[in-house]
Every structure is written in C-alpha cells, then in structure tokens.
C-alpha cells in the first residue's frame, strides 16, 4: 500500500486477545509491504555482505600483479556500490511506508472504537491511558513494524554469509558458523530482565501521563481549592519514578550493547589470529584472508539489527498490550436490524424511572443526584442497556420507549436520529463555526435561528473580531480544539445552538445553562421553548428560570419519578422539590420560607 492511498478503506478486525496476537495481526495485514521491504533489504544487505569479495580479489590481484583481475574487482565494487545505494534507499522508503501505514491503521481502529463507545470509552479506560496509546504507544509499535524487515534481511544475510564461508574456506568458515549463533543467542538470557525493566518504565510513564492529564483537566478546580502544589508534588514524584525506571532500563540495554560489541570482537580476533597462522603456513592466500576478515566484520552489521529488533519488541509488546486492551472494549451485541426505518413519534417513556415526556412539550426533570441525571440522559438517548460499572456484562435496564416503540428495537442510526442527547460537558471539535454547525439536520431550523435562541450574539461578535481574514464573518472564524479559546458559557451556548440546528424529534439537554448568568439563562429558556414548539424536549436541570418556562416538571428521587406538576405548583406543595431548587439544606425551613414568600406576595 502506498502512503497516498491512506486512510485504509477498511482497517480490519484486530486480534486483541493479547499484545503479541495484536502485533502478529498487524504485521499480517501488511504482509505485502513487509515482503517488499525484505526484498530491498536483501539487495542492500547482500551488497554490503558481498563487498569483501572484490576487496579480497583486488588485494590478491596486487599480490599476483594481475591487472585484469584488478579491473574486474574495481568493476564489482562499482556494481555493488550502486546496489547498496539503491537497496538502502528503497529499503528505507518501504520500511517507513510500513511504519506510517501501520500507525494509520491503528489510528483508524482507535477512532472507530472511540466512535463506537462514545462517552463510555473514558469510563472504562483512563483518559491518560488513551492519550498514551494514541501517541507514544503507536510510535513504538510502528518502530517494531519498521525494524522487522531490516532484521529479517540481516538474519537471512548473516545465515547466507556463514554458509558461504563454510563452502569458501572450511577452515575459517566452521569457526564463523559456530560463533555467529553464539553471538546472536548470547543476549537472550538478558532480554527478559531488560523487557521487565522496559515494562516497568512504560507503566510508570503511563501513570505519570494519566496524572498530568487529570491535573490539566481539573486545573481550574485545583486553583479554586489551592491544590496546585499538592498535585505538582505528586507529578514531580511520579516523574522521578519514571526517570529512575528509565535509567535502570538503559543500564540493561547498555549491557546488551556491550555484549554485542565484545563477542563479535572476540570472534574477529580469533578469525584474524587463526587466518594469519594459515596464511603463514601457506594454506590460505592473503586475498582469501582479507575476504574472510571482511565477511566477519560485516557480521557486526546484522548483529546490530538483532539488538534493535529485541529492543523494539520489548517496547512494542507492552504498548501493543495497552492498545489491544483499548480496542477490546465493546458495547453489548446490537442485534437490531441495520438500516433506517421511519422515525417514531409520540411520548418518550423511561420504564426504569417512570418518567414520561409528552410529545411536543417541554418537560423539565429535577434530580437531586447529578450522576442519576447523567444515567437518565443516557437511557433516554437509547444507549445500550448497561450500567457503567458492570462492564457490559449481565442484563441491563429496560429500554426507553418512544411512541410505543422501544429504542432497542430500532436500528441504531434511527434511534440516534430520533433522540439527541447533549450531556453536561459537550465537545466542540476544532474548525470554523460554520463547520461546527454543519451537522445532520431536519432543515426546519437554520443556524441563524439556533444561534439567536441560544443567545450567541456576543459569541458571534467575539468570533467576528477574531476572524483570520478581513471579512469579519464569524462563521469562517476558526475555533480551537475543544473550544479552548472560548469561555465555558460561550462553549455551552454554541453546543446548544448545534443541538438546536439538528432539530431531532426528541432533544435531551443535561444542564444546558449551568455556565451562563441568570439574565442570559432566562432568554435562553424563552428561546428554547419558542424554537422547540411542537417538538419533544427534556431538560435535566435545577435552575428555577428553566423550570418556570417548562410546561411540566418531574421530580426524581432515588432514580424514580415521585411528583409532576408545574414548577410553581411543586414549589408550593413539595418540600423536597423546594429544597433542591432553592439549594436549601433542610426541606422544612425551605418550606417555611416558601410560605412566608407566598404570604408576603
């Protein structure tokens, strides 16, 4: 496969049973590329391996004063030089192509898995581990894939040189044929310890990355409670652990490198000493000795690739294990029929909580527990019936019903189109504002109306001033990743506008105005009710401004619907509701305060 053909039409179904199984599957997926790199590697390494032959021929020609053989040796040097250059260039090209295509395949697999799992991904796998897999781990696996072809070419060349020396000069060839396997296998006893130390280094580095990721994500909270120094100390300690583990790993690999230099040096000394004795006895020509010496010197070259592949594998194996663990995450099997069916309409009912949102009306839901509200939002969105703590095993809660049709009985695409859930921390992808609002939609609500309903006027003004061109068009202004250039309230309102543009049959909003001021919140509530007229809207909130605009309000306690009425009716009749909405710690004082307010009015 060529780089210009990326991305892969289909990255395939990986073998994620173990890290080693994943590596085998990955290499098997690009067998053609590996064979191509091996072929060019044999040209390159074969040319290098054959170089001692014309050198020895030239030396013997000088000794024998044979001009013809000297010219022949010079011609062979030129030919071999051209083959070495061509093979080296094409080997590098093919090996790097294997690296890039392997990394691209893994990136596509991770992107597909992230799309499949959605928000469930970060509940099952730590965010820091996902970052480590997506960056450093893919690079290390790519290194192993890239080094594999060079190692294979070197192994074939080393075996060929050993056999050739046995046939060319048995006296020295047998010594070399015995010494090469000893040199190659001498480091095997050291590899398990080196691998364990490399694994420990990778584990500690992953922990440090997770700690750094969590610290950055919660930096605003840490500053609020004065916890920066505490977490800085923890990260400093974690980074020192990584440094110590890296030094321990480097020491072992230095020892392996030393062995790989010492043993070939000893073999070279033995060959030169024995070959010199044979030359002095007249049983070996000087040119033959130079050829054998050059061949043994060449064997130092493939041994370096033996060390490289061992090191690459020791780093790639734990990385592949982590990658396989991420890719092994899955949702319960979806046995719903594929394709699109007509979107059902009608009331939205959650059998777990007993909540019913009437069709075409704005329903607000008050939950005392934010986690309970998040689980309710997921169920209303037709997510697979599982609890985030059960890992997907065992039966889950009953399916949400829309217009008498369980969402689990609908094709997933139809269910997602019917019910859109905006969670309390919506994601804004990088790109222009126009691209952000370019989402699948019914066409009933345009971007202008959605932005107006979400009270994004000041956001548009700020984006127009930050426009990269002179047009001043906010729709063409680039928004950074996750909307980091915007405030929390601005990000929240843009996410709401995006949801409104989509205009689904049912829109579920989890705390859509938690980061805006009261005046803006009131205007958003009015705009939301007006724009969603005739559509089913469920808002999970405890904001009095949103609750007062809702046509009906449902109170959930311990995950069950216990009361429903208008906001003002519940304020007067339900102490627990009043306590949640007024942020009172004791329902009775809140109730008394409510009565006093009513009497004063």
């Amino acid at each position: 496969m060529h780089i210009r053909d990326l991305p892969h039409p289909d990255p395939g179904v990986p073998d994620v049973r173990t890290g080693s199984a994943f590596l085998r599957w990955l290499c098997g997926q690009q067998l053609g590329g590996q064979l191509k790199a091996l072929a060019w590697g044999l040209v390159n390494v074969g040319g290098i391996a054959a170089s001692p032959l014309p050198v020895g021929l030239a030396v013997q020609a000088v000794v024998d004063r044979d001009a013809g053989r000297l010219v022949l040796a010079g011609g062979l040097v030129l030919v071999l030089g051209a083959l070495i250059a061509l093979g080296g260039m094409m080997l590098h090209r093919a090996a790097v192509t294997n690296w890039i295509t392997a990394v691209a395949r893994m990136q596509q697999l991770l992107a597909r898995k992230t799309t499949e799992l959605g928000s469930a991904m970060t509940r099952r796998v730590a965010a820091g581990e996902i970052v480590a897999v997506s960056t450093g781990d893919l690079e290390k696996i790519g290194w192993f894939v890239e080094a594999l072809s060079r190692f294979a070419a070197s192994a074939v060349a080393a075996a060929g040189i050993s056999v050739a020396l046995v046939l060319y000069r048995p006296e020295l060839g047998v010594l070399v044929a015995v010494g090469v396997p000893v040199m190659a296998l001498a480091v095997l006893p050291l590899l398990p310890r080196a691998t364990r130390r490399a694994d420990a280094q990778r584990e500690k580095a992953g922990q440090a990355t997770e700690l750094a990721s969590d610290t950055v994500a919660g930096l605003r909270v840490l500053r609020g409670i004065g916890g920066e120094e505490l977490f800085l100390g923890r990260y400093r300690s974690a980074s020192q652990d990584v440094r110590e583990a890296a030094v321990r790993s480097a020491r072992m690999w230095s020892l392996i490198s030393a062995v790989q230099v010492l043993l070939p040096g000893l073999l070279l000394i033995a060959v030169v000493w024995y070959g010199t004795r044979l030359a002095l006895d007249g049983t070996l020509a000087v040119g033959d000795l130079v050829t054998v010496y050059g061949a043994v010197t060449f064997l130092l070259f493939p041994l370096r690739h033996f060390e490289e592949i061992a090191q690459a594998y020791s780093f790639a194996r734990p990385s592949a294990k982590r990658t396989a663990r991420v890719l092994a995450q899955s949702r319960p099997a979806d046995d719903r029929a594929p394709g699109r069916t007509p979107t059902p309409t009608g009331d939205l009912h959650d059998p777990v909580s007993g909540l019913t949102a009437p069709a075409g009306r704005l329903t607000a839901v008050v939950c005392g527990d934010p986690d309970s509200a998040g689980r309710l939002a997921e169920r209303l969105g037709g997510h697979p019936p599982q609890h985030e703590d059960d890992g997907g095993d065992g039966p889950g809660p009953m399916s949400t019903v829309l217009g008498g049709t369980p969402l689990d009985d609908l094709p997933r695409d139809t269910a997602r189109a019917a019910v859109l859930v905006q969670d309390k921390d919506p994601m804004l992808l990088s790109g222009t504002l126009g691209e952000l609002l370019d989402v699948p939609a019914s066409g009933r609500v345009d971007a202008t109306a959605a932005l107006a309903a979400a009270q994004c006027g000041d956001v548009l003004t700020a984006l127009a001033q930050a426009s990269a061109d002179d047009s001043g068009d906010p729709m063409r202004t680039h928004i950074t990743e996750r909307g980091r250039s915007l405030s929390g309230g601005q990000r929240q309102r843009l996410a709401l506008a995006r949801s409104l543009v989509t205009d689904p049959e049912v829109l579920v909003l989890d705390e859509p105005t938690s980061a805006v001021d009261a005046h803006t919140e009131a205007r958003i509530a009015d705009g939301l009710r007006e724009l969603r007229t005739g559509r089913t809207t469920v808002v999970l909130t405890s904001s009095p401004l949103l609750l007062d605009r809702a046509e009906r309000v449902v109170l959930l306690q311990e995950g069950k619907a216990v009361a429903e009425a208008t906001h003002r009716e519940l304020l007067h009749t339900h102490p627990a509701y009043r306590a949640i909405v007024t942020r009172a710690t004791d329902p009775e004082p809140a109730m008394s305060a409510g009565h006093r307010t009513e009497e004063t009015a």
Side-chain angles (χ1 to χ4, degrees), residues 135-152:
T135 53
D137 284 339
L138 296 193
E139 181 180 355
K140 291 176 177 61
I141 296 173
W143 175 29
F144 172 75
V145 172
E146 185 258 350
L148 192 59
S149 55
R150 291 200 302 269
F151 163 72

Side-chain angles (χ1 to χ4, degrees), residues 286-322:
V286 174
D288 293 339
L289 176 61
V290 172
T291 300
V292 173
Y293 172 80
V296 175
T297 304
F298 159 77
L299 290 175
L300 301 178
F301 176 73
L303 287 176
R304 288 199 299 269
H305 290 303
F306 289 8
E307 177 190 352
E308 179 191 20
I309 196 64
Q311 188 172 6
Y313 179 74
S314 69
F315 280 89
R317 189 176 59 84
S319 295
K321 183 178 179 181
R322 278 196 295 268

